Amino acid sequence: MKKKLMFVAVAAAFFGVAAMAPAQQAKLSGGVVKIGILTDLSGLYSDLSGQGSLVAARMAIDDFLKQEKNPFKVELVSADHQNKGDVASNKAREWFERDGVDMIGDLVTSSTALAVMPVAKEMNRVTIVNGAASTNITGKACTDLNVHYAYDTYALAIGTGRAVVKQGGDSWFFLTADYAFGHSLEKDTSDVVTAMGGKVLGSVRHPFPGTDFSSFLLKAQSSGAKVIGLANAGTDTTNSIKQAAEFGITPKQSLAGLLMFITDVHSLSLKTAGGMYLTEGFYWDFSDATRAWSKRFFDQHKRMPTMVQAGIYSSTMHYLKAVKAAGTDEAKAVVRKMKDTPVNDFFAQNGRIREDGRLLHDFYLLQVKRPAESKGPWDYYHVRQVIPAADAAIPAAKSECPLLKK
Amino acid sequence: MNGGHMYWGFAALIGFGLLAPVAGIYPTFLMKCWCFALFACAFNLLLGYTGLLSFGHAAFLSVAAYVAGHTIRNLGFGPEWGILAGTLSAGVLGYVFGSLAIRRAGIYFAMITLALAQMLYFVWLQMKFTGGEDGLQGVPRGMLFGLIDLSDNTNLYYLVFAIFLAGFFLIHRVIHSPFGQVLQAIRENEPRAISLGYDVDRYKLVVFVLSAALSGLAGATKTLVFQLASLTDAHWHMSGEVVLMTLLGGLGTVFGPVVGAFVIIGLQNQLADKVGSWVQVIMGIIFVICVLVFRRGIVGELGRLLKRPL
Amino acid sequence: MFELLGITPQALYSQLLIGLINGSFYAVLSLGLAIIFGLLNIINFSHGAQYMMGAFVAWIGLTQVPQWLGNPDFVINYWAALVLVPLIVGAFGVFIERTMLRRLYKLDHLYGLLLTFGIALIIEGLFRDWYGVSGQQYEIPEVFQGAINLGFMFLPKYRAWVVVAALTVCFVSWYVIERTKLGSYLRAGTENPRLTQAFGVNVPLMITLTYGYGVALAAFAGVLAAPIFTVSPKMGADLIIVVFAVVVIGGMGSILGAIVTGIALGLIEGLTRVFYPEASAVVIFVIMAIVLLVRPAGLFGRER
């Protein structure tokens, strides 16, 4: 008993000293800022996040330490969540409880993001979601310690829907993956299409995952709609695009991808994907700033960055700067700081993190170039329109997140 | 049968279970292991002791996980009632699948269970309450019997371990009951069991339901540990994994599935970050090795060395 | 009458035609499973992985081999792939049979299932590691680009070719097994291997070649599939479970049964997509459950 008391006393004294000594320095748990990138290193989404996300996070940390002259130590750990919610939440718990990780980033696929967020909330740590798409992340499931940075389905669907109608594509037919994700993509888009004065002629739901889309595509074809909206993702999307070309549906009717990445276009080749519309939150060949950063990224990773990877860099940088400014890595203080500071870099101009955690930034309506228009590898898009930040996020009034109701 | 060594085995198991978290092994990892150990034991009851290879046991794990998650999160059930509801639903599903599958034997049985489980996977994907791809998240751990706070990892750990032990001993009892003897007779020689006047189909169905319910118990408990239920539980990979755990640990041994579950979960945990997609290749290689040269499994081989059934 | 349901006859015909195309894939795959099962008594779980291998090897021949050799003219084109790929993958099957499966014949048949399951995991994992999961694209061969106007629909030429090629292979296989001397040995081997051996037939060799042929059929289906589906490591896994259900419905007693059931279920699936697309993922499984209730041995099966 006596021994225990003594230990407590010594410990208290020690921590007292430790807390007092670096008065001018940041108060850091464990004396270090530990960032964990939890991503898909082996599965379906490893192209759009994966190793590239690690490269981006590492770049951000190195740049931060160089710019700010090593204000504190920053460590990076990474793990593969295999796109499984239980693996992700298990790993997050382990990182928080045992390894003292302060922030978890990336979280590609919504199931893993939604699984990790409550764990982080419980342990008072930060999550910065870049890879996942669900609007639930800043909706029903929102937490005050989470930031949803790069994009969500609303931004992509709304962006594409609105802009394509403006370009004259006013009658739509949806090819929808038959599960919650596909349904919400279809609903968000058809709402905006009708609001803009367009018509939705119908939709067909295909099993997920599917391989043969021809019968569904035939229905879309016979509907006579000008635009076929692809409310699906990944190989479902690439298969539908490929088979639409095969059945001569394109280019008579045009396709609009509601969730697509530059890596999908890369894998499909311009010959198949040329002419279709999609929305992304970042395109490497947009401005001098994006080109400069993307070139550095390309030198390390040998592929151009996706919006997820660019978002990882930008958000990690923003987080580290917030830690420095707040003088602590305590989650609430850091997220407060992040929300109070606008984001101004190659990724976002005058970006602002809303109370629900959504980063408001511009999106781009893109049209895939035809092979003849492309000047070389990765020259894939025409930027058709910049979608202003205000139009790209769920309006605060419609949000299901209680944090916006205050 | 000389059972003395068994008691040493039980004692070692219980001692390990009680002391492991104190010894500093990460409790969430241990809880995952116990859940899968129970799942594998339930599976072993079917394959190891009755000779029925189900390739669709993920169905029972997932139905219980979803039902437990749904009842606890949305209907406000206490954890004990959620687990009970999950277990019962797995039992009912076991009855439905079992009645269909036992109409065929051997390889057909395996294919039918696989196909039925795959059908259920699609059903989960489309249902609203499962959250589809996103999974069912944020299940509160709650208070056991309204008294014990399960958000405390230690409390939860001992609950999970107790549930495992209960399932484990129930299976042990069943195997050594007259009912269990009939099951083993069916495994060894089904026509003879029929000719002795046993209603073999009835026995098969009962053991199938029992195995399904216990798998459900494991699934429901898992939901409480991870606070979520997801499609991973329902995928055919999961059905394959439980076969592998049982096979590696030792088919038809009492302790085999437990050892197998710990080894496989531990391997996955260790390897996942180091080798990426090679995990699947390594699992496949273990499978092939087990089938070709290591059919007794770890515990089976050990039992052979000690000249005692374990 | 169809108009009442919101479906024009034109739409119905085209959907039936598409059902037929998918049915021919089911037919080739379930035929391969049935042939292997007939002689070896095992279910080849790696059938899906071998189908995927077929598609991948074809893609490698078209796009990777010229790079490896540094000679852009050395392309294994579609026609060469159609012959070579089944041979290569079939040889791989022979290798598996000789080195591994062979050791299991005296054991419970379930071990064969487990072994091939493990092999499927390995193959899938390796391709996943080598080529990623997002999938590769295989160009439709020049001759088959474009579509034929059938009046009620535009049928892509390639799809028409798929049906012709698949049905031809099915018919030839059926003919060889049911109507030739070689086939009669095979059937004899199925009925009574020891007696057949006693008559001087090399049964072990026959078993090896049969497995190789079944695997080659899977690879053939893979090559056929490559130009229309994204070539990805997981393309076989989900398909094979559906094919298992097809096999349970048909029962594996007869070669013809496997072919007919495959095509019929493709058609039924096609119809489901017209009338109730939400159920098209599960319809085959539901039919399987019904068949099990009514006729447990399968439509063409014999109770063993």
Side-chain angles (χ1 to χ4, degrees):
Chain A
M1 195 65 203
K2 232 178 193 171
K3 234 181 198 168
K4 203 170 179 185
L5 269 181
M6 185 105 120
F7 173 76
V8 171
V10 170
F14 178 80
F15 281 115
V17 173
M20 255 182 307
Q24 74 282 24
Q25 270 187 4
K27 287 195 208 95
L28 301 177
S29 58
V32 55
V33 175
K34 223 172 185 179
I35 295 175
I37 297 291
L38 195 51
T39 183
D40 175 11
L41 292 173
S42 54
L44 203 49
Y45 308 101
S46 48
D47 279 353
L48 67 94
S49 60
Q51 282 299 336
S53 292
L54 298 187
V55 169
R58 171 59 46 214
M59 275 171 77
I61 293 171
D62 291 348
D63 288 357
F64 171 79
L65 293 177
K66 209 154 72 194
Q67 280 168 28
E68 307 286 337
K69 305 190 181 58
N70 295 313
F72 43 75
K73 242 177 99 187
V74 183
E75 272 177 34
L76 179 68
V77 288
S78 64
D80 184 4
H81 60 44
Q82 304 159 39
N83 301 326
K84 294 177 185 168
D86 51 341
V87 175
S89 89
N90 197 10
K91 195 78 209 174
R93 234 169 233 289
E94 201 177 302
W95 271 355
F96 291 148
E97 282 176 0
R98 203 170 60 178
D99 304 336
V101 167
D102 296 298
M103 181 272 268
I104 293 187
D106 202 353
L107 297 170
V108 67
T109 85
S110 305
S111 57
T112 64
L114 292 168
V116 170
M117 282 163 55
V119 180
K121 171 71 188 152
E122 186 190 324
M123 310 262 177
N124 196 35
R125 308 293 165 90
V126 183
T127 44
I128 301 181
V129 178
N130 267 296
S134 170
T135 44
N136 267 343
I137 293 168
T138 53
K140 252 183 275 172
C142 72
T143 80
D144 58 343
L145 300 180
N146 174 62
V147 173
H148 194 183
Y149 207 80
Y151 75 105
D152 61 17
T153 50
Y154 185 88
L156 304 193
I158 293 299
T160 311
R162 192 190 301 262
V164 168
V165 176
K166 260 190 200 155
Q167 309 262 336
D170 54 4
S171 60
W172 283 64
F173 189 92
F174 288 98
L175 192 67
T176 306
D178 196 5
Y179 65 108
F181 158 78
H183 299 173
S184 83
L185 214 49
E186 180 194 324
K187 192 184 165 300
D188 286 349
T189 317
S190 46
D191 284 354
V192 81
V193 167
T194 29
M196 297 284 294
K199 262 199 310 235
V200 177
L201 300 178
S203 73
V204 61
R205 294 186 167 173
H206 69 74
F208 166 87
T211 40
D212 184 44
F213 295 90
S214 40
S215 38
F216 309 115
L217 285 165
L218 282 186
K219 280 193 172 176
Q221 185 178 36
S222 59
S223 76
K226 285 186 196 161
V227 182
I228 299 172
L230 303 177
N232 49 20
T235 35
D236 281 357
T237 308
T238 50
N239 264 331
S240 338
I241 296 171
K242 198 173 168 182
Q243 291 167 16
E246 192 196 344
F247 278 83
I249 292 170
T250 46
K252 278 179 220 146
Q253 289 161 296
S254 48
L255 296 180
L258 301 181
L259 180 61
M260 272 185 80
F261 295 88
I262 194 165
T263 40
D264 292 325
V265 177
H266 185 69
S267 119
L268 272 170
S269 85
L270 297 183
K271 198 176 162 207
T272 323
M276 68 180 293
Y277 287 101
L278 63 134
T279 299
E280 290 213 60
F282 173 84
Y283 176 45
W284 70 271
D285 197 11
F286 178 70
S287 67
D288 287 340
T290 58
R291 276 186 287 273
W293 182 81
S294 302
K295 196 186 164 306
R296 285 176 55 214
F297 180 88
F298 185 85
D299 288 343
Q300 292 190 35
H301 191 55
K302 304 294 163 228
R303 308 186 76 153
M304 280 300 173
T306 60
M307 62 175 153
V308 172
Q309 291 154 349
I312 298 253
Y313 177 93
S314 172
S315 60
T316 307
M317 185 62 105
H318 190 58
Y319 169 80
L320 287 171
K321 284 181 173 163
V323 171
K324 181 163 180 278
T328 172
D329 60 359
E330 192 276 324
K332 282 196 189 74
V334 176
V335 174
R336 186 72 263 148
K337 201 81 208 166
M338 287 176 82
K339 286 179 178 167
D340 290 344
T341 322
V343 184
N344 261 312
D345 61 4
F346 73 94
F347 183 78
Q349 288 78 46
N350 281 320
R352 182 174 70 82
I353 298 169
R354 204 162 61 173
E355 277 311 307
D356 58 352
R358 172 83 249 155
L359 172 75
L360 307 176
H361 68 108
D362 295 348
F363 280 76
Y364 310 102
L365 177 74
L366 308 159
Q367 188 174 23
V368 180
K369 290 186 173 175
R370 304 204 186 271
E373 299 163 333
S374 168
K375 286 193 278 295
W378 298 99
D379 179 21
Y380 290 159
Y381 295 147
H382 296 293
V383 179
R384 288 300 182 208
Q385 197 184 326
V386 174
I387 301 159
D391 288 349
I394 290 189
K398 278 193 194 162
S399 170
E400 288 182 85
C401 175
L403 294 169
L404 283 175
K405 298 278 184 284
K406 277 180 212 161
Chain B
M1 206 196 284
N2 177 5
H5 61 283
M6 282 294 209
Y7 291 106
W8 287 109
F10 291 141
L13 183 74
I14 294 172
F16 171 75
L18 290 177
L19 293 177
V22 187
I25 304 181
Y26 187 59
T28 313
F29 167 73
L30 281 174
M31 287 190 269
K32 184 175 182 184
C33 288
W34 290 125
C35 290
F36 277 98
L38 178 58
F39 185 31
C41 287
F43 178 79
N44 188 34
L45 179 63
L46 205 56
L47 178 58
Y49 292 101
T50 324
L52 293 174
L53 171 60
S54 154
F55 231 104
H57 251 50
F60 311 120
L61 191 75
S62 66
V63 70
Y66 280 128
V67 168
H70 182 67
T71 50
I72 294 175
R73 191 185 70 173
N74 300 342
L75 307 182
F77 280 32
E80 66 282 1
W81 293 109
I83 290 179
L84 188 67
T87 310
L88 283 179
S89 58
V92 172
L93 188 73
Y95 181 79
V96 176
F97 281 16
S99 322
L100 283 171
I102 56 166
R103 289 169 165 259
R104 302 302 306 269
I107 287 166
Y108 281 103
F109 182 87
M111 285 197 292
I112 292 164
T113 45
L114 176 65
L116 290 172
Q118 183 75 356
M119 180 171 87
L120 194 70
Y121 178 87
F122 287 120
V123 172
W124 292 148
L125 193 59
Q126 291 183 11
M127 295 266 262
K128 271 246 150 55
F129 85 96
T130 61
E133 273 277 276
D134 291 350
L136 197 154
Q137 324 270 357
V139 179
R141 283 176 176 176
M143 309 284 275
L144 185 66
F145 306 121
L147 291 172
I148 305 166
D149 182 9
L150 291 181
S151 61
D152 182 84
N153 256 348
T154 317
N155 290 348
L156 185 65
Y157 173 80
Y158 287 108
L159 172 69
V160 171
F161 185 55
I163 289 175
F164 164 77
L165 280 184
F168 183 76
F169 282 111
L170 176 66
I171 291 170
H172 188 70
R173 270 314 310 148
V174 169
I175 295 165
H176 292 96
S177 67
F179 174 75
Q181 301 302 321
V182 179
L183 294 181
Q184 288 171 53
I186 295 172
R187 178 188 65 183
E188 295 306 328
N189 193 338
E190 188 171 333
R192 185 157 160 72
I194 296 172
S195 73
L196 286 173
Y198 289 109
D199 185 352
V200 167
D201 278 357
R202 190 141 201 95
Y203 277 89
K204 280 184 179 174
L205 185 58
V206 172
V207 74
F208 194 88
V209 172
L210 190 62
S211 170
L214 286 168
S215 304
L217 181 61
T221 312
K222 196 165 97 65
T223 301
L224 214 55
V225 174
F226 291 111
Q227 300 181 273
L228 61 90
S230 71
L231 280 175
T232 316
D233 299 339
H235 197 260
W236 57 269
H237 267 177
M238 184 61 79
S239 302
E241 241 164 55
V242 72
V243 181
L244 181 56
M245 287 170 190
T246 314
L247 199 62
L248 177 66
L251 220 58
T253 61
V254 176
F255 296 104
V258 184
V259 174
F262 270 81
V263 172
I264 296 292
I265 302 285
L267 265 182
Q268 285 175 344
N269 210 38
Q270 285 301 308
L271 292 176
D273 302 329
K274 300 187 183 99
V275 295
S277 49
W278 283 87
V279 175
Q280 194 184 344
V281 180
I282 292 169
M283 293 298 139
I285 291 173
I286 298 178
F287 231 115
V288 169
I289 292 174
C290 279
V291 173
L292 285 179
V293 294
F294 199 62
R295 278 186 291 274
R296 285 194 187 87
I298 297 171
V299 173
E301 286 293 338
L302 202 68
R304 195 171 64 102
L305 288 177
L306 298 174
K307 301 201 171 59
R308 288 199 164 101
L310 282 173
Chain C
M1 182 210 153
F2 292 122
E3 281 83 353
L4 280 179
L5 294 162
I7 308 290
T8 60
Q10 276 87 349
L12 189 70
Y13 297 146
S14 41
Q15 297 293 0
L16 281 176
L17 196 58
I18 285 172
L20 180 67
I21 298 166
N22 289 328
S24 10
F25 279 110
Y26 292 154
V28 176
L29 289 171
S30 63
L31 171 67
L33 280 177
I35 291 178
I36 293 173
F37 181 80
L39 205 57
L40 283 76
N41 249 316
I42 62 157
I43 269 294
N44 184 27
F45 211 126
S46 47
H47 217 65
Q50 283 146 348
Y51 159 84
M52 178 271 286
M53 256 176 104
F56 250 108
V57 174
W59 172 81
I60 290 170
L62 190 71
T63 60
Q64 304 302 101
V65 169
Q67 281 180 30
W68 294 343
L69 299 176
N71 180 357
D73 297 329
F74 197 89
V75 173
I76 299 177
N77 68 16
Y78 178 79
W79 298 106
L82 216 45
V83 180
L84 280 179
V85 171
L87 286 177
I88 296 169
V89 181
F92 171 75
V94 167
F95 170 78
I96 290 178
E97 199 278 339
R98 283 267 149 149
T99 53
M100 296 187 246
L101 272 180
R102 172 149 297 190
R103 298 154 181 267
L104 301 177
Y105 294 144
K106 290 199 185 79
L107 301 167
D108 193 321
H109 301 313
L110 292 177
Y111 282 108
L113 176 74
L114 294 177
L115 179 80
T116 48
F117 178 75
I119 292 172
L121 287 183
I122 297 175
I123 299 175
E124 223 186 273
L126 286 176
F127 277 92
R128 190 182 256 249
D129 186 63
W130 293 335
Y131 298 109
V133 268
S134 40
Q136 312 292 343
Q137 309 300 327
Y138 191 102
E139 284 275 311
I140 293 180
E142 203 70 50
V143 215
F144 292 126
Q145 286 188 3
I148 313 161
N149 190 350
L150 295 181
F152 57 89
M153 75 178 289
F154 282 92
L155 178 67
K157 289 181 193 158
Y158 186 76
R159 302 260 174 167
W161 157 249
V162 166
V163 178
V164 173
L167 293 185
T168 311
V169 163
C170 285
F171 176 76
V172 169
S173 304
W174 170 80
Y175 186 82
V176 168
I177 293 168
E178 300 288 339
R179 294 283 183 273
T180 64
K181 186 139 194 182
L182 182 70
S184 67
Y185 289 156
L186 208 69
R187 280 175 287 136
T190 310
E191 286 297 325
N192 193 336
R194 290 173 74 185
L195 195 61
T196 316
Q197 181 115 25
F199 279 116
V201 176
N202 187 346
V203 173
L205 177 70
M206 209 164 74
I207 289 179
T208 308
L209 292 180
T210 304
Y211 186 76
Y213 183 67
V215 172
L217 277 180
F220 179 78
V223 182
L224 280 184
I228 30 184
F229 305 138
T230 299
V231 179
S232 92
K234 51 190 193 82
M235 66 190 286
D238 293 322
L239 183 65
I240 199 62
I241 301 179
V242 177
V243 176
F244 279 176
V246 170
V247 164
V248 174
I249 294 169
M252 279 184 292
S254 82
I255 301 294
L256 198 60
I259 300 171
V260 171
T261 326
I263 293 173
L265 286 170
L267 290 176
I268 292 174
E269 205 185 33
L271 285 178
T272 320
R273 286 179 177 170
V274 180
F275 293 111
Y276 191 58
E278 282 81 359
S280 56
V282 294
V283 62
I284 290 187
F285 301 119
V286 173
I287 294 175
M288 180 192 81
I290 295 169
V291 169
L292 281 172
L293 286 173
V294 182
R295 205 182 140 84
L299 298 177
F300 297 87
R302 298 165 289 179
E303 200 67 78
R304 293 194 182 202

